[in-house]
């Protein structure tokens, strides 16, 4: 990603680096001019016009440095900010293209850590990392060049004493910083995960009175983050001052030996002052090396994490368009496993256009998994699922979902208006269409009770709505889509059986040509289905209409009788 980004911004970085080098060159002229002024002052008569000329030059250099710094900061730091936006967009695109299985094994907190700490660390590497690297190299080269012009070679050699120690320290501490920062980033991911999980389930936590337990778990996570951070801090705290100490030691040696040369007359005072100024300027490159190692190693660690994420397999969106009008859906001898646990076993079924189909079974029997496989949320082997005789793996995911809509049992709502939640994904829509879909789902009578009606904000995750209202809003969204096949995955579990039956009857009246697949455990709402598939332990154990299944006196009959008894008890 970095190389791809540099291809579009290399001119900005190049110009920024050139201005940075130019500023470094201008700065090393100042000590030379100051040394010349000192030499003029200590050897009367003093020519004030010459001194004034040097003063004007120094002022112009200062002005040039100000302008140049503004330019390179805008170009280099500005490009790094662009990269931050670029990489965040790339990450978001990656998440959208990733298969559902990726999100099953990756927490939201971990994903958010990529967006915050990791992106920030890489951005710092591409701004401060580049600036300090170029600045340190250019300044070091120019300073040594300036020294050679004004002082004895022996003093210049003295200033080189710390370089081998700086290189050795950078190699040793750099590796440790890299390793430790990756650990710190992983710890931060766990903190984000723990916080997100707790905040999302705060009602459950309070209902069960386990605040202290969750507080203890979060504290343990934070303590580990703090411990690893302190270890990283100790490494950086030793490394940075060590580099500064080497620079100060060089200055002390230079002053001692250089002072003797001035006393002996082998070096004049002005040149020695220039040399000390140059040596002071050389302190920054030494310090910058320490800082740049920190920044680059942290950036590298974060880039490795992001790069590993970007290289995870993506959902295959290639393929043909959905093959015309829906005619048949056929599943043949399908097996499917989650993490080596088989949940669908040798399952076969066939659905015809216009049918009202029900899939029922006990909790955990595999009903929802079938729905996800029908809509390509998980990948199956070739030759297992067919639409109009075409293998599902040959049909693009987008085209398939435009024609076969799954309304999931998790009625997730967005923090926006009711109307925008129903017309999900569309910028422009008519109020009549939204209201029509809402009426079919028996949600309209609830909406008109709100003061703002369809402009009512539902709050985060639909917090202002009841469970039944959230499900009916989610169903309204599915009805609004008007697909050829609609799969309702237990979307009316929070609605009473009488209302659920009325809703399904209205859907049948409104969309006679639409193929409807209802996944539920509520038999009363699907008794009039054309065909009912009974699932148990990932297998179809019975199939037929209501009367046929009741005559079999099998699992369907037992579930029906249990639900009848439960309703009698409720009455």
């Amino acid at each position: 990603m970095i190389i791809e980004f540099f291809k579009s911004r290399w001119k900005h970085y190049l110009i920024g680096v050139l201005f940075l080098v130019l500023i470094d060159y201008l700065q090393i002229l100042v000590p030379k001019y100051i040394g010349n002024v000192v030499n003029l002052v200590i050897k009367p008569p003093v020519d004030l016009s010459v001194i004034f000329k040097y003063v004007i030059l120094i002022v112009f250099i200062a002005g040039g440095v100000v302008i140049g710094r503004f330019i390179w900061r805008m170009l280099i730091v500005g490009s790094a900010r662009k990269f931050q936006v670029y990489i965040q967009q790339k990450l978001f695109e990656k998440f959208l293209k990733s298969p559902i299985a990726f999100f099953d094994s990756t927490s939201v907190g971990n994903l958010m850590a990529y967006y915050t700490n990791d992106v920030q660390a890489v951005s710092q590497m591409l701004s401060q990392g580049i600036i300090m690297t170029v600045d340190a190299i250019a300044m070091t080269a120019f300073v040594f060049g300036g020294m050679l012009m004004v002082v004895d070679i022996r003093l210049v050699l003295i200033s080189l004493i710390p370089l081998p120690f700086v290189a050795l320290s950078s190699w040793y501490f750099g590796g440790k910083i890299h390793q430790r920062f990756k650990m710190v980033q992983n710890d931060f991911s766990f903190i984000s995960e723990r916080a997100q999980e707790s905040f999302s389930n705060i009602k459950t936590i309070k209902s069960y009175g386990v605040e202290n337990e969750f507080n203890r778990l979060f504290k343990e996570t934070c303590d580990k983050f703090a411990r690893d951070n302190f270890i990283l801090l100790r490494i950086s705290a030793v490394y940075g001052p060590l580099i500064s100490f080497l620079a100060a030691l060089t200055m002390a040696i230079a002053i001692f030996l250089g002072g003797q040369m001035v006393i002996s007359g082998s070096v004049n005072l002005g040149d020695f002052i220039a040399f000390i100024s140059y040596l002071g300027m050389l302190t920054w490159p030494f310090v910058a090396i320490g800082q740049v190692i920190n920044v680059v190693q942290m950036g590298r660690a974060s880039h490795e994490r992001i790069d590993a994420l970007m290289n995870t397999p993506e959902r295959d969106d290639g393929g043909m368009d959905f093959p015309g009008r829906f005619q048949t859906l056929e599943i043949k001898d399908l097996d499917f496993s989650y993490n080596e646990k088989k949940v669908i076993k040798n399952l076969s079924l066939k659905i015809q256009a216009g049918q009202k189909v029900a899939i029922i079974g006990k909790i955990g029997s595999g009903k929802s998994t079938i729905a996800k496989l029908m809509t390509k949320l998980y990948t199956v082997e070739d030759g297992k699922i067919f639409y109009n005789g075409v293998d599902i793996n040959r049909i693009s995911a987008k085209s398939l979902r435009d024609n076969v809509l799954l309304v999931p049992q998790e009625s997730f709502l967005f923090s926006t208006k009711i109307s925008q939640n129903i017309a999900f994904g569309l910028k422009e829509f008519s109020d009549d269409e939204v209201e029509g879909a809402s009426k079919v789902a028996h949600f309209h009578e609830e909406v008109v009770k709100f003061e703002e009606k369809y402009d009512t904000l539902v709050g985060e995750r639909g917090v202002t709505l009841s469970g039944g209202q959230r499900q009916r809003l989610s169903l309204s969204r599915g009805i609004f889509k008007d697909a050829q096949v609609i799969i309702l995955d237990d979307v009316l579990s929070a609605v009473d059986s009488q209302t659920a039956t009325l809703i399904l009857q209205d859907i049948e009246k409104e969309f006679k040509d639409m193929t409807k697949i209802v996944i539920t455990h509520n038999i009363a709402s699907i008794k009039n289905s054309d065909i009912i598939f009974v699932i148990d332990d990932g297998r179809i154990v019975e199939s037929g209409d209501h009367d046929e299944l009741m005559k079999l006196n099998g699992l369907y009959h037992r579930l029906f009788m249990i639900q009848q008894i439960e309703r009698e008890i409720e009455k």
Side-chain angles (χ1 to χ4, degrees), residues 50 56 72 139 245 293 326 346 360 401 417 434 506 560:
V50 177
I56 294 298
W72 65 250
M139 183 65 76
F245 171 75
I293 291 296
F326 172 76
N346 196 34
I360 72 163
R401 293 169 197 157
K417 299 176 182 178
V434 169
D506 284 355
F560 179 79

Side-chain angles (χ1 to χ4, degrees), residues 1 91 109-119 122 178 181-190 298-312:
M1 289 185 297
L91 282 171
N110 193 23
L111 297 180
M112 292 308 300
Y114 287 105
Y115 264 90
T116 52
N117 275 20
D118 285 314
V119 169
V122 178
H178 180 78
F181 188 71
K182 288 186 77 171
M183 293 178 64
V184 168
Q185 291 296 77
N186 288 330
D187 291 341
F188 181 79
S189 296
F190 289 133
M298 291 177 182
R300 276 188 59 218
S302 289
H303 184 259
E304 286 176 5
R305 277 169 46 88
I306 293 173
D307 197 49
L309 173 69
M310 296 299 291
N311 287 326
T312 55

Side-chain angles (χ1 to χ4, degrees), residues 209-281:
V210 291
E211 294 95 333
N212 291 337
E213 176 65 15
F214 271 78
N215 187 47
R216 181 186 65 80
L217 292 172
F218 188 75
K219 183 178 183 301
E220 288 177 357
T221 307
C222 290
D223 286 345
K224 185 177 185 307
F225 177 66
R227 285 195 302 271
D228 288 338
N229 245 319
F230 277 128
I231 293 173
L232 176 62
L233 179 62
R234 280 200 296 268
I235 295 171
S236 300
V238 171
Y239 180 52
L242 176 62
I243 299 298
S244 298
F245 171 75
L246 292 173
L249 183 62
T250 304
M251 178 71 78
I253 295 171
I255 291 174
F256 177 73
L257 297 178
Q260 291 182 335
M261 291 180 182
V262 172
I263 294 172
S264 66
S266 58
V267 175
N268 61 49
L269 180 61
D271 291 342
F272 178 69
I273 291 175
F275 172 73
I276 294 300
S277 297
Y278 281 131
L279 209 55
M281 295 173 71

Side-chain angles (χ1 to χ4, degrees), residues 136 139-140 144 158-164 166 170 239-240 242-248 250-251 279 281-292:
M139 183 65 76
T140 301
F144 280 126
I158 290 171
S159 64
L160 294 175
I161 291 173
L163 288 183
V166 170
S170 299
Y239 180 52
L242 176 62
I243 299 298
S244 298
F245 171 75
L246 292 173
T250 304
M251 178 71 78
L279 209 55
M281 295 173 71
L282 199 59
T283 301
W284 158 243
F286 287 162
V287 174
I289 290 171
Q291 293 180 0
V292 81

Side-chain angles (χ1 to χ4, degrees), residues 45 366 368:
S368 295

Side-chain angles (χ1 to χ4, degrees), residues 374-390:
M374 287 176 175
T375 50
K376 211 176 178 179
L377 290 177
Y378 292 94
T379 303
V380 298
E381 299 176 13
D382 290 341
K384 297 298 181 181
I385 301 179
F386 300 86
Y387 283 94
N388 296 353
V390 178

